[in-house]
Amino acid sequence: MTTLSSRPDSGVSVGLDVPHESAALHVTGAAVYTDDLVQRTHGILHAHPVCSTHAHARVRGLRPEPAYDVPGVVRVLTAADVPGVNDAGVKHDEPLFPDEVMFHGHAVCWVLGESLEAARRGAAAVEVDYEPLPAIVTVAEAIAAESFQGGQPTVVRGDVEAALAGAAHVFSGDIDFAGQEHFYLETHCSLALVDEAGQVFVQSSTQHPTETQEIVAHVLGLDSHEVTVQCLRMGGGFGGKEMQPHGFAAIAALGSRLTGRPVRLRLSRQQDMTMSGKRHGFDARWRVGFDEAGLLVALDATLTSDGGWSLDLSEPVLARALCHVDNAYWLPDVRINGRIARTHKTSQTAFRGFGGPQGMLVIEDILGRCAPLLGIEARELRRRNFYADDQETPYGQPVRHASRITAAWDQLVDSADIAAREAEVASYNASHEHTKRGLALTPVKFGISFNFTAFNQAGALVHVYKDGSVLINHGGTEMGQGLHTKMIQVAATALGVPLARVRLAPTRTDKVPNTSATAASSGADLNGAAIKNACEQITARLHEVDAGRGLPWEEVVREAYFSRVQLWAAGFYKTEGLHWDSSLMRGHPFKYFAYGVAAAEMEVDGFTGAYRTRRVDIVHDVGDSLSPLVDLGQIEGGFVQGAGWLTLEDLRWDSSSGPGRGRLTTQAASTYKLPSFSEMPEVFNVSLLEEAHEDGVVYGSKAVGEPPLMLAFAVREALREACAAFAPEPGFSVDLASPATPEAVFWAVQAARTGAPAPVTEGAPGVEPDQPSSDAPALHPHSEQVASRVPGNPVTGHEARP
Ligand code: MTE
Ligand code: MOS
């Protein structure tokens, strides 16, 4: 066992069931978020955007003058005010003040007012002349127009054409599935101040304070040491605050710099939904080969993500999607192409799972649709195809501990009484004509680490004061996920002091510099190891002071001070053994994989498509948990958020040719349905995989933030099973839209009722729709085509229909 992962024999605070460190503050409303600072700040100005009313247009003229006639308007910020670089992105493709608007709601300029109302009225008074340009709204339109951005990577292993030619069964199909709105409770918010020496201080709801600092500095034409960013805590980030806060922070900082007053920018819910990026929806087309026994032999797929107007994090999100198409399954010969559509929409971005869920949806959809055509139960088909220990992923990384998938699966089959319940479901379905049930199990394998190796580093600062109390600071941000709770537990364990002796100070760029985003679920792995490193430097020094006397903590600390021994330390950690070649899409990008298995039982009403979740059972692998209550919350929350993505949350953009083209039509909680109490499973059992110690990770734990989201595929697959039960004959292959809203389920039930068999065609279309047909690889003579879209089913994805 490595020293990083081993736990001491006594004084161990990791692994204790402690509540979130701010739980009491959260539930009493006393927890302070960035916007709460407004009441404590004197002389503040409020920022309001002037938003584009076109999805794509050239800005021919901008007249801010009328805004100054509005009482309370102090300043209109435009491109002419930018002292540095007029760009809010790291890819330099996101002008902060654009002369070409790229989506409906794009901010053209910003108005500062004595009150938010004054700023709003001022923004309404600004006159903008637009020259409308053609807009691409759907991925299908982008593919047709060849509107792509960024690289087009491919993961390849073996000879996919030969493998498909030799396969006993070949199927092809496609799916176009929706993105997701983050809907963090706290919308984007920044508050900026400039002090008498010109030092800029920005408080921001950001998952990536260092990058916020860098963007603010380059917009203002300053060096990084002139800008400090602090994040107190976030009311949720979910990836939506990894890159999107920077521009808002830069506007607040610019306003403060120009007026000398504090500037607050907080988006309303509607502004947040229309202006900020979301999870990428994808279009996927595939051909898959199976052998006689139902083992996967080949997969050829093209994934096109909907990147929106700028690149943002679309490239790494796509890379992670390509690296997760395999999920838990051994795919001998593969070719997975990826590309990013450029559309006139918000710039889609990180969202819990970061492309992983989108990649995994493709293979889970394939297995769910092909199982009936192969005549194999979906549960059996999945299990048969699991990785064996140390088989390699398509990108060349051995799958360590793959047998944990099978172990968790078998444990769940047992603990959730699956065999008996399958029989119950069958008899229920036989005796109920208008409601049907489905039960499904799905696995998760999720790679932990940033694909980009350099990001896998972290720093921490640990102070021990003369009285023995401890203050820690680290590079990670708290967004509700319990990172700070875990970090306090790690410090207390490493120093051998009670939890109550340790306090944690908010994340600031002047405490720990050059941090990575708190993302990729790696916050605890990276920052925990850095804190442990700092603590160990201190305990090594104290050990010498103590010289075998076994003094109590407070005494040895006092003595160390009087002996002039340094009582604080900066810690550092970098993950060893990672390498990734992004041009070849090969390497060993992940430190390890997190595993999980879920079983869901759903009941569908055939008249309406309405459904309910009768029971969910989960076994999830968190290694040796650092904080079991926190982990439980992450698993439950991630699962429900995933179920929301797959079944309820239906982003719709106006794709008509009318004047509202490109407008997000679901821009409030009234039209965008989120999971709530009524969607919670009636029975919800979550357990942690036992004997799951992870060597080489801080105190033997595993990351937990994102992987549980993907456990929700069990819900979607159970809905598919329930829909299939409406078919007159067994073995019906159900094509289910994603999100599987009640409307989509209704149409899937209609298709099943008519029992229309999946059309079997030879020479099905190639994976590349825009490829000349002469180049299209000929399919195996026995190829079968999975029904693409059921005729008469108007649910064709997530775009609003005119
Ligand atoms: N949990 C809560 N409550 N709120 C959040 O915003 N974000 C998720 C996950 N869990 C999130 C959350 C995402 S997208 C990530 S990457 C991880 O937390 C980040 O934190 P970690 O690295 O500390 O797990
Ligand atoms: Mo999480 S999507 O990596 O912020």
Side-chain angles (χ1 to χ4, degrees):
M1 206 183 278
T2 56
T3 51
L4 182 57
S5 54
S6 68
R7 296 185 177 190
D9 300 328
S10 60
V12 182
S13 295
V14 289
L16 295 180
D17 272 331
V18 296
H20 189 285
E21 46 70 45
S22 291
L25 300 178
H26 290 158
V27 298
T28 56
V32 173
Y33 295 84
T34 301
D35 205 43
D36 294 319
L37 299 168
V38 169
Q39 293 139 25
R40 305 177 180 189
T41 311
H42 182 70
I44 209 155
L45 293 175
H46 305 258
H48 197 286
V50 174
C51 288
S52 165
T53 50
H54 298 268
H56 188 201
R58 193 153 290 125
V59 178
R60 281 280 172 224
L62 181 64
R63 280 180 302 281
E65 295 76 18
Y68 287 104
D69 297 336
V70 174
V73 166
V74 172
R75 180 90 196 220
V76 181
L77 303 177
T78 68
D81 294 315
V82 177
V85 183
N86 179 22
D87 198 281
V90 290
K91 294 276 176 184
H92 296 282
D93 62 349
E94 291 182 43
L96 188 59
F97 297 96
D99 49 25
E100 181 180 340
V101 287
M102 297 293 281
F103 66 96
H104 209 289
H106 199 166
V108 181
C109 65
W110 292 78
V111 178
L112 305 181
E114 296 288 351
S115 67
L116 187 56
E117 182 57 12
R120 190 188 66 76
R121 285 166 182 268
V126 171
E127 292 170 5
V128 189
D129 293 337
Y130 296 102
E131 177 195 332
L133 298 169
I136 291 173
V137 178
T138 68
V139 180
E141 289 166 2
I143 292 174
E146 295 191 37
S147 167
F148 299 114
Q149 54 186 330
Q152 301 200 356
T154 302
V155 174
V156 208
R157 171 169 61 200
D159 183 344
V160 82
E161 294 303 337
L164 283 171
H169 305 275
V170 177
F171 305 103
S172 65
D174 57 57
I175 181 164
D176 168 11
F177 54 93
Q180 185 178 21
E181 161 61 36
H182 299 86
F183 223 105
Y184 24 63
L185 290 180
E186 179 206 22
T187 54
H188 277 288
C189 184
S190 279
L191 172 62
L193 304 162
V194 179
D195 74 9
E196 66 293 342
Q199 178 75 20
V200 180
F201 182 53
V202 183
Q203 308 238 34
S204 170
S205 182
T206 175
Q207 286 174 247
H208 201 345
T210 288
E211 207 167 73
T212 303
Q213 173 195 27
E214 287 164 359
I215 299 287
V216 167
H218 92 205
V219 168
L220 297 186
L222 300 174
D223 290 328
S224 289
H225 69 181
E226 294 169 280
V227 178
T228 299
V229 173
Q230 169 165 292
C231 177
L232 290 174
R233 58 163 61 79
M234 282 164 275
F238 304 113
K241 294 173 183 170
E242 216 177 304
M243 199 164 268
Q244 304 275 313
H246 310 334
F248 303 124
I251 294 291
L254 177 64
S256 183
R257 174 88 181 227
L258 291 175
T259 61
R261 291 174 61 179
V263 173
R264 165 244 198 175
L265 186 165
R266 182 181 64 79
L267 299 184
S268 68
R269 178 63 61 186
Q270 183 176 329
Q271 287 166 343
D272 198 294
M273 291 183 80
T274 48
M275 297 172 76
S276 74
K278 310 174 192 320
R279 183 189 293 287
H280 295 74
F282 273 63
D283 168 285
R285 294 143 198 232
W286 48 267
R287 292 182 300 155
V288 68
F290 293 90
D291 70 9
E292 289 296 355
L295 293 179
L296 287 156
V297 294
L299 175 66
D300 184 15
T302 293
L303 275 58
T304 310
S305 73
D306 184 352
W309 74 279
S310 70
L311 265 180
D312 190 278
L313 288 162
S314 294
E315 287 179 302
V317 165
L318 179 67
R320 186 167 278 268
L322 300 192
C323 289
H324 283 79
V325 168
D326 59 335
N327 191 14
Y329 312 105
W330 164 241
L331 293 166
D333 290 275
V334 278
R335 178 172 58 207
I336 305 159
N337 305 307
R339 51 191 186 177
I340 301 161
R342 186 197 296 277
T343 55
H344 295 101
K345 286 179 178 152
T346 53
S347 179
Q348 312 322 4
T349 191
F351 194 140
R352 209 171 193 171
F354 203 84
Q358 290 96 319
M360 282 156 65
L361 189 146
V362 174
I363 191 76
E364 293 303 339
D365 190 60
I366 289 173
L367 294 175
R369 287 162 77 176
C370 293
L373 303 174
L374 291 165
I376 302 174
E377 291 293 332
R379 166 155 82 91
E380 174 55 26
L381 182 65
R382 289 193 164 87
R383 194 183 184 288
R384 240 180 241 186
N385 279 288
F386 285 163
Y387 275 111
D389 275 337
D390 297 316
Q391 277 178 328
E392 282 184 7
T393 62
Y395 47 89
Q397 171 161 352
V399 183
R400 192 155 57 98
H401 294 162
S403 49
R404 282 192 192 179
I405 308 167
T406 319
W409 186 271
D410 294 344
Q411 185 178 320
L412 190 75
V413 167
D414 240 30
S415 65
D417 211 8
I418 297 298
R421 286 171 54 216
E422 274 172 345
E424 272 171 37
V425 165
S427 79
Y428 178 91
N429 288 346
S431 59
H432 292 75
E433 201 186 337
H434 300 302
T435 55
K436 302 283 183 191
R437 292 179 182 169
L439 176 59
L441 272 75
T442 55
V444 169
K445 166 185 132 289
F446 189 80
I448 301 298
S449 297
F450 291 95
N451 274 60
F452 185 61
T453 306
F455 290 165
N456 297 288
Q457 58 172 309
L461 194 56
V462 174
H463 294 175
V464 176
Y465 291 98
K466 283 182 275 183
D467 65 354
S469 63
V470 180
L471 186 69
I472 61 173
N473 213 282
H474 63 91
T477 54
E478 176 63 40
M479 56 197 102
Q481 85 277 38
L483 176 61
H484 286 352
T485 312
K486 289 181 171 179
M487 296 304 95
I488 292 170
Q489 289 175 279
V490 166
T493 305
L495 295 171
V497 300
L499 280 173
R501 294 254 68 183
V502 184
R503 266 186 83 87
L504 186 145
T507 317
R508 298 174 57 121
T509 56
D510 58 357
K511 291 278 180 59
V512 179
N514 310 329
T515 55
S516 297
T518 306
S521 305
S522 60
D525 287 14
L526 297 175
N527 296 290
I531 287 177
K532 187 163 181 283
N533 171 257
C535 292
E536 282 166 355
Q537 296 172 41
I538 297 169
T539 51
R541 293 181 212 136
L542 292 179
H543 198 72
E544 276 185 29
V545 173
D546 182 62
R549 289 174 291 164
L551 293 174
W553 169 257
E554 279 74 13
E555 271 177 50
V556 73
V557 165
R558 252 177 68 81
E559 209 174 299
Y561 171 75
F562 286 109
S563 317
R564 293 184 292 175
V565 169
Q566 187 185 345
L567 279 173
W568 77 95
F572 184 74
Y573 174 73
K574 61 176 180 202
T575 318
E576 298 291 351
L578 305 179
H579 55 94
W580 178 243
D581 182 333
S582 60
S583 55
L584 291 177
M585 293 294 282
R586 285 195 72 74
H588 194 298
F590 305 123
K591 173 84 176 158
Y592 58 88
F593 296 99
Y595 300 113
V597 174
E601 185 180 330
M602 305 295 293
E603 183 176 301
V604 168
D605 176 332
F607 292 121
T608 62
Y611 46 78
R612 61 197 183 97
T613 310
R614 285 174 44 79
R615 176 169 168 180
V616 170
D617 294 80
I618 289 170
V619 174
H620 194 76
D621 169 20
V622 296
D624 284 343
S625 175
L626 289 177
S627 202
L629 283 181
V630 166
D631 285 352
L632 197 67
Q634 286 290 291
I635 296 168
E636 291 176 350
F639 173 84
V640 171
Q641 195 165 38
W645 170 49
L646 292 169
T647 65
L648 299 169
E649 300 179 37
D650 199 359
L651 282 172
R652 300 238 170 176
W653 274 274
D654 183 343
S655 58
S656 74
S657 52
R661 180 167 169 79
R663 196 177 72 91
L664 180 67
T665 58
T666 48
Q667 43 175 243
S670 54
T671 45
Y672 186 74
K673 183 155 173 53
L674 293 159
S676 61
F677 283 117
S678 49
E679 281 78 28
M680 287 296 281
E682 290 160 32
V683 179
F684 197 2
N685 302 315
V686 178
S687 53
L688 305 180
L689 185 72
E690 282 164 16
E691 293 176 42
H693 178 88
E694 187 66 25
D695 202 17
V697 186
V698 63
Y699 292 128
S701 64
K702 273 191 177 183
V704 70
E706 298 164 285
L709 182 131
M710 289 150 270
L711 294 167
F713 287 119
V715 171
R716 182 163 188 269
E717 294 307 310
L719 283 172
R720 192 196 303 279
E721 301 276 328
C723 292
F726 284 93
E729 302 293 336
F732 184 77
S733 170
V734 174
D735 178 17
L736 192 59
S738 187
T741 57
E743 183 189 355
V745 169
F746 173 80
W747 290 111
V749 169
Q750 288 298 102
R753 279 192 201 278
T754 60
V760 178
T761 53
E762 290 185 11
V767 165
E768 290 285 342
D770 39 0
Q771 190 171 316
S773 54
S774 55
D775 292 358
L779 280 191
H780 187 262
H782 305 303
S783 69
E784 299 142 78
Q785 166 145 43
V786 175
S788 228
R789 284 293 158 201
V790 182
N793 174 352
V795 182
T796 54
H798 52 285
E799 308 299 345
R801 287 173 300 279

